[in-house]
Amino acid sequence: MDMKRFFCLFVSVFLFLSFFCGCGSEFSLLDYVSENRLDILTGSKDGYLLTVYFTEKESPYLADGIKAEINRLAEFTLTAPDNTATYTLSATVNGTLYEGEFSYSAQKNNFNLTLPMDFTDVRSLTCTVLEGKTAHEIVCESVKEESVLSYREILGFLERAEAERIDSLKEKNVFRGEIYVRLLYDDGCYYYVGIIDRNGGVYALLFDAADGKILATRE
């Protein structure tokens, strides 16, 4: 191979690799989300109130500005008539049976249970809460309406509204922080978004889930 052909081949390979490496390094806040509450399901029956949070969350769960390994979890919260009783839960999701025993939180005056779960495409969940030999079947439905924006869209609003702050945490196209995104529900849907830096500092924002408007901030 003569030098001219070798040089042309070298340039072609260099441009090819440069193009694809450049595409792969495009910055996205999505890559730094270490907690993402995707949906909330709730239902009640016989004096029992059951809430289910579908969450993708890092483990270990630390507000240290560094994203760790992500797990998919269903976090159950139960308010029951008798706080001295023992309660277990079972539910079948996408063909898999999930079971567990609730633990009582005196501080929150409720029961809690977290289970690893594949909740893909689940908008309604039928749960059986067992107290002794008495079973209570509770159907939990998603609180999200069609008007609720996705977390991706909320991150877009965040990036536009807080461009200067986000840029201040970037170093060589790497974000030196992590993002918490939590869907909230209180007579309507909202998003809590937290930007956590490497020193554990938190800048929190509350978004309207329907239009992406920032309702409040806190630092």
Side-chain angles (χ1 to χ4, degrees):
M1 180 183 295
D2 59 41
M3 290 300 297
K4 184 176 180 180
R5 291 178 62 192
F6 177 80
F7 178 76
C8 291
L9 178 62
F10 175 81
V11 171
S12 298
V13 172
F14 176 79
L15 292 174
F16 176 84
L17 292 175
S18 297
F19 174 78
F20 281 99
C21 290
C23 290
S25 62
E26 184 177 350
F27 176 80
S28 173
L29 283 180
L30 291 169
D31 296 329
Y32 301 92
V33 176
S34 57
E35 180 186 3
N36 189 3
R37 182 185 292 166
L38 293 160
D39 204 352
I40 303 172
L41 284 64
T42 185
S44 59
K45 186 178 180 182
D46 303 330
Y48 295 82
L49 173 62
L50 183 63
T51 303
V52 191
Y53 301 98
F54 286 158
T55 303
E56 295 175 341
K57 184 180 291 186
E58 68 174 357
S59 178
Y61 183 60
L62 297 171
D64 57 3
I66 302 172
K67 180 181 176 180
E69 181 181 354
I70 299 298
N71 296 312
R72 304 194 94 196
L73 305 170
E75 301 172 324
F76 297 85
T77 297
L78 175 69
T79 302
D82 184 0
N83 288 338
T84 65
T86 298
Y87 299 97
T88 60
L89 177 138
S90 63
T92 299
V93 181
N94 293 324
T96 300
L97 175 64
Y98 297 89
E99 297 178 296
E101 182 177 315
F102 285 95
S103 60
Y104 178 67
S105 170
Q107 181 180 4
K108 297 181 179 180
N109 196 34
N110 60 24
F111 294 83
N112 300 282
L113 170 65
T114 299
L115 296 172
M117 180 179 290
D118 175 15
F119 46 74
T120 304
D121 297 328
V122 176
R123 300 270 301 165
S124 177
L125 182 61
T126 300
C127 302
T128 300
V129 175
L130 191 65
E131 176 193 1
K133 295 183 179 181
T134 304
H136 305 272
E137 189 175 276
I138 303 174
V139 179
C140 297
E141 303 284 354
S142 172
V143 302
K144 290 177 68 174
E145 299 179 352
E146 290 185 2
S147 60
V148 172
L149 297 171
S150 70
Y151 74 93
R152 290 182 175 85
E153 292 171 307
I154 290 298
L155 288 179
F157 282 100
L158 172 69
E159 198 159 12
R160 290 187 289 273
E162 297 291 341
E164 185 175 341
R165 183 182 297 271
I166 291 169
D167 284 342
S168 72
L169 292 172
K170 289 167 66 175
E171 184 177 305
K172 295 181 180 179
N173 215 31
V174 174
F175 187 66
R176 298 185 64 80
E178 60 183 327
I179 307 290
Y180 289 175
V181 183
R182 299 174 190 152
L183 180 69
L184 307 176
Y185 181 75
D186 184 10
D187 292 330
C189 287
Y190 305 88
Y191 277 101
Y192 163 90
V193 178
I195 302 175
I196 299 95
D197 62 33
R198 293 290 173 88
N199 297 317
V202 180
Y203 179 65
L205 305 95
L206 183 67
F207 288 85
D208 187 304
D211 60 16
K213 181 180 179 180
I214 296 175
L215 302 176
T217 62
R218 185 180 65 189
E219 192 163 7

